[in-house]
Structure formats: structure tokens, C-alpha cells
Amino acid sequence: LAHLRTLFGGYLSRMDGVETVEWDGPHAPGILSFQLHESVCNAVYFAEYLNAKYDIAIKPGRSSGFSQMLRVSWSLSTDVQDVHFLAEKLDEALAFHMAS
């Protein structure tokens, strides 16, 4: 799980409009949080768009200081191709919303 978290974090680091959200304390290896820049769109709407268009479920977060936070999680059955697909579709959705 930690490998997939590192892999997805690497994909996120190369995308415009997002940044990973880190904090002090433990992090679950099967979860990665990230924040949309305000110019992209509302995080709840973005999560709904990903679900409707690509059947990808991402949970909008409600954390103080991170109003645009989203959280991705995966399980032991998730493979590298799943993470690659997620990153590819997330990048497409970001490009679409930043152009709108």
C-alpha cells in the first residue's frame, strides 16, 4: 500500500492544480489526501464529476485549513495499473476544469 501511495504522490506532483496534503502524525499507507487549487473548481463538484465520468470514487475532505481537500484510498487488491488509470483520469479532469 505504501508503494502505491508513493506512486500516486509522484503522479500528483507532476499535475497542475493540485498539491498533496501532509500533516504531522501517522498516515495510513492506503490513503493519500490532496488539495485542489481554488482556480480548478469546488472539491465536492470535482469528486462528483470523477464519479459520473470515470466511475472513480474520491472522497471530499472536511478539514480545517484544507477546504478543497480530496482523499483517495486503495486496498490490497489495487494494482499499479489502477493507480495509473486514476492518475491519468484525474489529470484529464483537472485539464478540463482548468480550461472551463
Side-chain angles (χ1 to χ4, degrees), residues 3-55:
H3 168 71
L4 296 177
R5 185 179 196 282
T6 301
L7 177 65
F8 187 64
Y11 284 128
L12 283 177
S13 71
R14 294 186 294 273
M15 292 181 196
D16 293 329
V18 297
E19 60 188 78
T20 58
V21 174
E22 299 287 346
W23 55 85
D24 291 333
H27 288 76
I31 297 173
L32 183 62
S33 298
F34 62 97
Q35 181 169 303
L36 294 176
H37 295 173
E38 293 293 330
S39 62
V40 177
C41 71
N42 176 277
V44 172
Y45 173 76
F46 191 77
E48 291 171 354
Y49 176 86
L50 288 171
N51 192 18
K53 179 137 176 102
Y54 303 114
D55 201 24

Side-chain angles (χ1 to χ4, degrees), residues 7-16 18 34 46 49-50 53-54 56 58 72 79-97:
L7 177 65
F8 187 64
Y11 284 128
L12 283 177
S13 71
R14 294 186 294 273
M15 292 181 196
D16 293 329
V18 297
F34 62 97
F46 191 77
Y49 176 86
L50 288 171
K53 179 137 176 102
Y54 303 114
I56 293 173
I58 292 182
V72 177
D79 62 29
V80 171
Q81 278 66 33
D82 295 329
V83 174
H84 176 73
F85 176 82
L86 170 61
E88 179 183 298
K89 298 309 176 191
L90 179 64
D91 200 31
E92 286 177 15
L94 287 167
F96 173 78
H97 283 89

